[in-house]
Amino acid sequence: MYLKRSVDRTAGMTEGSIHCRKLSSRAGLSGMCLCVSSSVVLLRLIATLFTLATFAISASAQTRPSIVHDKSGIHIVAGSLKRDITLANGMLSTKTLSVEGEQVLATDSPEFSFTLYAASPDRKPRGLAPGEGGAIDATPVSGKTDTLTVQGQTSGPVDSTQWVDASVIDGKQWGDLFPHKAISITHKNAAEALTITGIGNALKVSICYETYDGFPVIRKWMKITNTGSHWMKVDNLQIENWTFGVPFSSPTPLTPSERGAVSSLVAMGHQDASRGVILGSEIPSALRNIDNSGAMGYANPYFEWILGPGESFESEPVFEYAYDGQTIKTISGVSTALDRTVEGPFQSFLRKRIGLLADAANLPAPSYNTWSNFGPKVNSAEVEEMAPLAAKAGFKILTLDEGWQRNRFDTEPDPDKFPDLQAAANAVHAAGLRFGLWVSTFRSANSKDLRILPDAASRPGLRRDGGGLGMSFSGPWRQYYVNDLVSMARQYGITYFKQDLSSIRFGDFAEGHESRSLKESLLRGLRGMLQAQDLIRQSVPGVTLEITHEIYWGTPGVPCDLAALKHANLYHIPPNDYSGDGNNKLRYRDQKTAYTVEAHQSDLIAGTLHARQRLYAHRGLPLDALEYYGATTMSFNGSLTPAIQDRQIASWLMGAPMVFAGDLASLTEETLTHYRTRFDLLKRLQQNYGIYDYFEFSGVPSAPTDEGWQ
């Protein structure tokens, strides 16, 4: 939430100011600051609110979606968004995609495209046997955040299968390739669905579209079926072949594109900012591609899928969501149609129709995590020391991060540091806190996992820090992992799992696992990990599941996306931020000379700015689902002042619950009490006004700064 008053004048977070913003939000309004300091400002505020209300209502007005098939083609209308699909001249293509009647495409777009190959010899490819495929060793770089040194080499599959006779299959050849066709339109559950099916020689392609009452959106996915008796491979799959034309050709990412993955949400807007289309992809992690022309599909360097006789591949969906409205100057910035849409009806669409799990009201917040400044050396005595301090400060959950496990990677307690994990759990619960636990996707060679499932590790072999073996989510270990976490949740009263460390991006082509090639295993691994989240939640409905940027691809990992939040409650966004921790593996008493008061305060303030910047960069997603380190609960000679504490807390008012990390033993009684006072205020504001549902970035400065964003 944007607070105009400076944090150094802490009284700015009042219930009255929040209530004013709440009323404007309920009216569908955007772009106003919270602080009302005079009757003149109040009158200006009211006038602008009514202006914004008019535009918000007109822009969001919707009619019931419709799908019509007539002689001229297929016409899909969803509010201000219209799509005309033509089947003329043997082609299947989108002729028009328009917003408020204006075409946004530069040219007709074939409805899909992919490349198809035949197997030679014609058989299922053989996976890697034990000892085949080489090995990889991944070791964190000392003193550097989120950096791995990766050594070793994979020898590739021993299998001799070659993929030959490549042919491009796309909408341009629809009539020639698919002599048998069917079009069906169905209506159910406030949605209309269209399926276009083509059946050819040994190949069946179905293209599915959905529209939803109340939302100007068209969602689309594909199903490719091998109906013949031969093995084949698919790659270079494009679900939408858009080329957006001027003046709609300038992309605006609504989540970051970085660290090997492109944004899952990109707006293609008119140059005058009056209207446009939000492109969304539900393809996970680095497997996704949305290019600058607007085309959406799979990233070819990482994607392929092998189909045996009778097998199918069903893609993840993509969608187009229209927005329109005027650009309005407010007293603090500029309110755009895109921002008003993203912060309002679009968030409702993501929750109701895409199925994002974000729910600030039911997430444990604020939370305290042991990683900084305990690291993997954390022990039971330190957890029992931190628990009452965390409770006194007003935290709701204590998450025990890496270090509690035997051999660092397993899910059995370390016998020296945690001789009785139940006692540590009991201490946390006795303090009135929930208990969270860190788990990884690596296991030691003598773990119970590998004793029960000797072939559960991925192949080529992956070793972390010289000890842990990378496990495979595309094999039988996936269900073992689910059962293991469910068992721990029930045994220790765990209501939160933080799942971490990179293994999926290195691939798994082990014989007996699900993947038929190393490249195919990337999507299978991501899908398997996300499916595991669903299975855990089904068995323990009250558990909160977090996945990190590392488990989702690499170290450093990728930003959050739509696919992750369909399956996990929370996502830890990159990078890990140790601002104000000093040496993030040492407790404060072991580094008392690491800081001057002024230097530590500067680092603490920098962490709060980083948090606002990273959360804002993900503004297309529900921000309450994002976790970011950036608030350090550590003080050197009184460096953590009430004003800096307030700055930390205000940085998390962007719709997001809060995570704090640091050494609570460094804090005074006054510092602990001030945290509790502010956390209690936030709890009351959330209960009374639902403040996490009303973060607004339309009409405020265009990006977070350290001047006016606290």
Side-chain angles (χ1 to χ4, degrees):
M1 183 161 299
Y2 168 55
L3 302 179
K4 189 172 180 72
R5 184 178 296 173
S6 168
V7 166
D8 292 337
R9 296 164 61 191
T10 305
M13 283 202 302
T14 65
E15 290 192 55
S17 63
I18 298 286
H19 183 60
C20 173
R21 189 58 168 268
K22 168 78 172 183
L23 293 176
S24 71
S25 296
R26 280 190 168 167
L29 312 178
S30 303
M32 305 312 304
C33 64
L34 280 172
C35 179
V36 180
S37 57
S38 69
S39 58
V40 173
V41 174
L42 179 59
L43 290 173
R44 291 174 63 193
L45 171 67
I46 294 171
T48 308
L49 292 180
F50 280 110
T51 302
L52 290 175
T54 302
F55 291 117
I57 293 170
S58 63
S60 62
Q62 295 294 317
T63 58
R64 185 179 180 88
S66 68
I67 301 176
V68 176
H69 178 207
D70 59 25
K71 292 181 179 180
S72 63
I74 301 171
H75 313 284
I76 307 175
V77 178
S80 60
L81 182 67
K82 183 179 181 183
R83 180 174 189 155
D84 296 309
I85 300 172
T86 179
L87 297 92
N89 302 318
M91 294 179 60
L92 179 65
S93 63
T94 291
K95 189 174 183 62
T96 303
L97 183 72
S98 63
V99 178
E100 287 291 299
E102 183 173 357
Q103 164 79 300
V104 303
L105 302 180
T107 183
D108 291 7
S109 299
E111 210 56 19
F112 66 91
S113 68
F114 58 88
T115 305
L116 194 67
Y117 304 81
S120 177
D122 184 16
R123 57 171 174 75
K124 177 183 177 181
R126 181 177 75 80
L128 294 171
E132 294 180 340
I136 302 168
D137 189 81
T139 304
V141 177
S142 177
K144 293 188 177 182
T145 300
D146 295 344
T147 305
L148 285 179
T149 295
V150 179
Q151 296 177 321
Q153 188 172 2
T154 60
S155 60
V158 177
D159 181 72
S160 60
T161 302
Q162 301 293 313
W163 298 101
V164 299
D165 300 332
S167 57
V168 175
I169 310 296
D170 62 24
K172 296 178 182 177
Q173 311 162 63
W174 184 253
D176 296 332
L177 292 173
F178 303 104
H180 305 287
K181 307 174 188 65
I183 296 174
S184 71
I185 300 173
T186 58
H187 313 262
K188 69 174 184 177
N189 298 331
E192 292 210 9
L194 164 70
T195 302
I196 304 174
T197 301
I199 302 174
N201 182 23
L203 188 67
K204 176 181 176 182
V205 174
S206 294
I207 311 168
C208 307
Y209 308 78
E210 277 190 349
T211 62
Y212 310 100
D213 281 2
F215 299 108
V217 66
I218 300 171
R219 196 175 179 206
K220 176 186 177 184
W221 64 96
M222 293 179 60
K223 186 174 182 180
I224 302 169
T225 303
N226 179 355
T227 58
S229 58
H230 303 286
W231 284 80
M232 58 179 63
K233 184 183 81 169
V234 172
D235 70 5
N236 200 28
L237 175 56
Q238 293 293 310
I239 304 171
E240 297 284 29
N241 284 285
W242 303 130
T243 299
F244 277 66
V246 177
F248 290 92
S249 54
S250 297
T252 300
L254 298 173
T255 64
S257 290
E258 60 188 28
R259 296 181 173 91
V262 303
S263 174
S264 65
L265 291 168
V266 177
M268 304 294 287
H270 193 281
Q271 58 192 16
D272 68 5
S274 65
R275 55 205 177 278
V277 176
I278 299 170
L279 303 178
S281 174
E282 299 167 49
I283 298 170
S285 192
L287 273 291
R288 170 183 61 254
N289 183 56
I290 302 180
D291 67 26
N292 287 333
S293 70
M296 293 188 284
Y298 290 83
N300 208 42
Y302 302 122
F303 170 79
E304 67 182 19
W305 203 268
I306 296 169
L307 295 172
E311 293 182 345
S312 297
F313 171 77
E314 185 167 329
S315 76
E316 281 80 4
V318 300
F319 62 79
E320 301 84 37
Y321 189 108
Y323 66 89
D324 62 274
Q326 293 196 21
T327 298
I328 307 160
K329 184 76 173 87
T330 72
I331 60 174
S332 53
V334 175
S335 174
T336 68
L338 174 60
D339 283 349
R340 292 195 300 273
T341 298
V342 167
E343 70 193 15
F346 184 71
Q347 296 301 312
S348 178
F349 163 70
L350 293 181
R351 287 180 167 92
K352 292 180 179 178
R353 290 304 185 176
I354 302 300
L356 270 57
L357 301 175
D359 182 3
N362 293 319
L363 289 175
S367 68
Y368 171 74
N369 184 288
T370 64
W371 182 245
S372 308
N373 295 85
F374 299 88
K377 298 178 181 179
V378 66
N379 59 51
S380 185
E382 290 173 325
V383 171
E384 293 177 26
E385 177 190 5
M386 291 300 106
L389 296 175
K392 185 175 291 186
F395 292 105
K396 303 304 179 187
I397 181 170
L398 184 151
T399 299
L400 174 55
D401 211 289
E402 180 186 348
W404 65 271
Q405 327 87 314
R406 185 176 68 87
N407 297 326
R408 282 193 63 190
F409 299 105
D410 300 342
T411 54
E412 298 165 291
D414 183 281
D416 297 321
K417 293 186 291 180
F418 287 89
D420 187 355
L421 184 60
Q422 188 64 64
N426 291 344
V428 172
H429 291 136
L433 302 172
R434 302 185 196 181
F435 187 36
L437 206 60
W438 179 94
V439 293
S440 84
T441 61
F442 287 75
R443 297 291 181 266
S444 67
N446 62 346
S447 66
K448 57 185 174 63
D449 307 53
L450 288 169
R451 291 196 300 269
I452 295 171
L453 296 172
D455 294 326
S458 59
R459 203 175 298 135
L462 172 64
R463 191 176 295 274
R464 175 88 181 218
D465 299 356
L469 298 174
M471 306 295 279
S472 172
F473 278 106
S474 57
W477 181 75
R478 177 174 62 242
Q479 187 61 55
Y480 182 93
Y481 176 83
V482 169
N483 295 341
D484 196 20
L485 267 61
V486 169
S487 176
M488 286 192 293
R490 291 171 176 166
Q491 179 177 354
Y492 299 112
I494 297 165
T495 58
Y496 181 100
F497 283 108
K498 176 182 177 180
Q499 303 160 86
D500 202 8
L501 299 189
S502 310
S503 63
I504 293 171
R505 77 177 178 93
F506 296 100
D508 169 42
F509 186 30
E511 186 70 22
H513 292 186
E514 297 165 357
S515 301
R516 282 75 176 274
S517 75
L518 197 61
K519 188 185 283 191
E520 182 187 276
S521 72
L522 302 176
L523 182 56
R524 283 194 184 271
L526 288 166
R527 284 182 170 183
M529 187 268 292
L530 295 175
Q531 181 192 36
Q533 311 305 302
D534 299 337
L535 295 172
I536 295 168
R537 286 188 294 103
Q538 289 169 13
S539 297
V540 193
V543 74
T544 297
L545 298 176
E546 177 189 64
I547 59 177
T548 70
H549 53 89
E550 294 187 64
I551 194 176
Y552 205 43
W553 191 243
T555 304
V558 297
C560 190
D561 64 20
L562 293 169
L565 297 186
K566 288 168 62 175
H567 303 275
N569 304 91
L570 287 168
Y571 188 97
H572 184 77
I573 59 178
N576 288 335
D577 190 337
Y578 301 118
S579 300
D581 291 340
N583 185 324
N584 65 287
K585 301 298 190 298
L586 291 179
R587 298 198 60 180
Y588 86 102
R589 60 173 175 258
D590 297 322
Q591 52 173 328
K592 286 185 177 180
T593 60
Y595 276 112
T596 65
V597 169
E598 293 77 14
H600 190 231
Q601 288 178 335
S602 177
D603 276 2
L604 291 172
I605 290 171
T608 67
L609 174 60
H610 299 161
R612 294 193 298 281
Q613 291 172 327
R614 294 304 292 166
L615 290 169
Y616 179 81
H618 286 79
R619 65 193 182 278
L621 299 170
L623 298 182
D624 44 279
L626 306 182
E627 178 183 280
Y628 181 78
Y629 286 160
T632 299
T633 54
M634 191 160 71
S635 184
F636 289 93
N637 299 317
S639 56
L640 182 58
T641 64
I644 293 177
Q645 289 179 276
D646 286 349
R647 186 184 288 254
Q648 289 178 336
I649 292 168
S651 295
W652 269 260
L653 278 173
M654 299 173 71
M658 299 155 284
V659 59
F660 290 70
D663 194 338
L664 294 173
S666 69
L667 306 185
T668 65
E669 288 289 324
E670 291 76 15
T671 307
L672 294 169
T673 300
H674 191 74
Y675 272 132
R676 172 174 283 279
T677 299
R678 288 312 193 203
F679 292 151
D680 286 346
L681 170 61
L682 293 181
K683 180 180 178 181
R684 187 166 68 251
L685 292 172
Q686 173 64 17
Q687 289 176 340
N688 293 343
Y689 307 118
I691 59 171
Y692 287 135
D693 291 333
Y694 295 100
F695 166 67
E696 298 175 357
F697 45 81
S698 180
V700 302
S702 59
T705 67
D706 229 11
E707 303 299 322
W709 268 78
Q710 51 276 339

